[in-house]
């Protein structure tokens, strides 16, 4: 059963066909947003609760939660579920085979048996990642038309390539104990990985290592930070980059002033 922790709603009649629904799965629930195709943020919410072990129960819980907050997930322009995984690998489409999922993940030291895969048109590659496929399938059945992906597919598909034509770009998405990296240079996505970080000093080391290892050092290199970022973390890394900003997702506007209280950089994956 999921409980509503946070909910900000805009009282504006908008056809579902003019909205997109984004959901980000968490270990203890999920967050979600409704944004119009024109970029107006209409709804943001957070659901708390343990995911049931039964796929059928998860389906029922998802449907019941959205009904309880007045969201009818039908007829959207697009719907997506972002599954955050700590173990993943990119496989070029010409080499990809669904039968080799376990072998792909073994290359990065993973012995996962619960595995999902998502193609990324931007890269011409498929992300294979460790994730509870039963939960992902439950959401897909509960919300017909839902596209499921992991955070690396999402980060690679944000349209940041053009921004990197002017200078190298390193996007960091911070979660508990890990950082998701996405690096762009010369108009191309060149690197994406999740790196465990036991402390902020270790996070500092890995970030600088990525900067140097992938040829991102440049007089205009830009660092973007989102997710679980506070002032201390930002201040820790700021001196290593000519430019550093908090990344807040796609450009959005809003009608409800309550959205002023929302830290958009913490929820950039769904905004």
């Amino acid at each position: 059963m999921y409980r509503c922790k946070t909910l900000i709603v805009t009282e504006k009649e908008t056809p579902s066909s003019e909205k997109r629904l984004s959901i980000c799965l968490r270990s203890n629930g999920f967050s979600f947003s409704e944004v119009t195709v024109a970029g107006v943020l209409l709804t943001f919410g957070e659901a708390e609760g343990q995911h049931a072990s039964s796929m059928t129960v998860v389906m029922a819980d998802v449907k019941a939660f959205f009904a309880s907050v007045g969201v009818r997930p039908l007829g959207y322009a697009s719907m997506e579920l972002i599954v955050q995984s700590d173990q993943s690998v990119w496989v070029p489409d010409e080499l990809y085979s669904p039968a080799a999922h376990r072998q792909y993940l073994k290359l990065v030291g993973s012995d996962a048996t619960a595995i999902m895969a998502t193609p990324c048109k931007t890269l011409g590659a498929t992300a294979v990642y460790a994730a509870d496929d039963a939960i992902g399938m439950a959401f897909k059945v509960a919300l017909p038309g839902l596209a499921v992906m992991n955070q690396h597919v999402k980060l690679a598909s944000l349209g940041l390539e053009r921004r990197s034509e002017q200078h190298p770009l390193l996007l960091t998405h911070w979660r508990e104990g890990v950082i998701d990296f996405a690096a762009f240079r010369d108009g191309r996505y060149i690197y994406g990985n999740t790196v465990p970080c036991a402390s902020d000093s270790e996070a500092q080391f890995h970030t600088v290592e990525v900067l140097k290892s992938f040829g991102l050092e440049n007089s205009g290199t830009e660092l973007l930070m989102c997710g679980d970022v506070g002032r201390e973390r930002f201040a820790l890394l700021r001196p290593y980059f000519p430019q550093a900003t908090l990344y807040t997702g796609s450009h959005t506007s809003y009608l409800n002033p309550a959205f002023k209280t929302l830290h958009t950089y913490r929820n950039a994956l769904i905004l």
Side-chain angles (χ1 to χ4, degrees):
M1 182 70 70
Y2 300 115
R3 302 171 299 277
C4 185
K5 176 186 175 184
T6 306
L7 184 65
I8 304 175
V9 178
T10 303
E11 298 298 334
K12 181 179 186 295
E13 288 295 330
T14 304
S16 293
S17 59
E18 297 179 11
K19 298 186 291 186
R20 61 178 176 86
L21 175 67
S22 296
I23 306 168
C24 187
L25 201 61
R26 299 174 179 174
S27 60
N28 63 339
F30 57 89
S31 56
F32 70 95
S33 70
E34 286 184 307
V35 181
T36 71
V37 293
V40 180
L41 178 58
L42 298 176
T43 307
F44 174 82
E46 294 175 296
E48 280 187 323
Q50 293 302 312
H51 304 294
S53 57
S54 164
M55 187 174 115
T56 303
V57 176
V58 174
M59 289 166 46
D61 288 347
V62 170
K63 290 180 178 179
F65 174 80
F66 281 115
S68 72
V69 296
V71 173
R72 297 183 68 252
L74 296 170
Y76 282 95
S78 66
M79 296 191 294
E80 62 183 19
L81 173 69
I82 300 158
V83 177
Q84 302 188 83
S85 172
D86 294 346
Q87 299 173 323
S88 66
V89 63
W90 286 110
V91 182
D93 285 346
E94 59 268 23
L95 301 177
Y96 173 72
S97 169
H101 283 175
R102 292 189 184 185
Q103 286 75 15
Y104 295 143
L105 282 178
K106 281 183 179 179
L107 295 175
V108 292
S110 173
D111 58 359
T113 56
I115 301 171
M116 299 183 71
T118 303
C120 178
K121 292 182 180 180
T122 303
L123 301 183
T126 295
V128 179
Y129 48 99
D132 191 329
D133 51 344
I135 293 179
M137 183 57 68
F139 271 79
K140 285 189 70 173
V141 175
L143 308 172
L146 184 74
V148 181
M149 67 192 73
N150 77 338
Q151 74 274 20
H152 289 295
V153 174
K154 179 67 176 182
L155 294 175
S157 305
L158 291 173
L160 294 172
E161 294 91 346
R162 181 172 297 180
R163 191 163 168 175
S164 73
E165 291 176 354
Q166 305 301 319
H167 54 255
L169 186 68
L170 181 59
L171 173 59
T172 58
H173 176 247
W174 297 65
R175 297 184 285 125
E176 185 175 356
V178 300
I179 300 177
D180 301 312
F181 288 100
F184 302 82
R185 190 187 65 211
D186 300 324
R188 297 184 299 115
Y189 173 95
I190 62 169
Y191 171 75
N193 197 14
T194 296
V195 179
C197 299
S199 64
D200 281 2
S201 59
E202 189 175 337
Q204 178 188 40
F205 169 79
H206 286 304
T207 303
V208 175
E209 184 179 44
V210 170
L211 175 70
K212 295 179 179 295
S213 299
F214 290 90
L216 300 175
E217 292 181 289
N218 182 288
S219 60
T221 301
E222 184 178 7
L223 172 69
L224 299 177
M225 302 177 71
C226 61
D228 188 15
V229 181
R231 290 183 179 180
E232 292 182 1
R233 283 180 172 172
F234 186 86
L236 185 68
L237 291 172
R238 176 65 185 89
Y240 295 93
F241 293 83
Q243 304 179 68
T245 56
L246 291 174
Y247 179 68
T248 58
S250 303
H251 178 71
T252 57
S253 58
Y254 55 82
L255 303 174
N256 185 344
F259 281 117
K260 289 181 179 180
T261 64
L262 179 64
H263 295 298
T264 50
Y265 65 89
R266 291 188 177 273
N267 302 281
L269 289 182
I270 59 171
L271 297 174

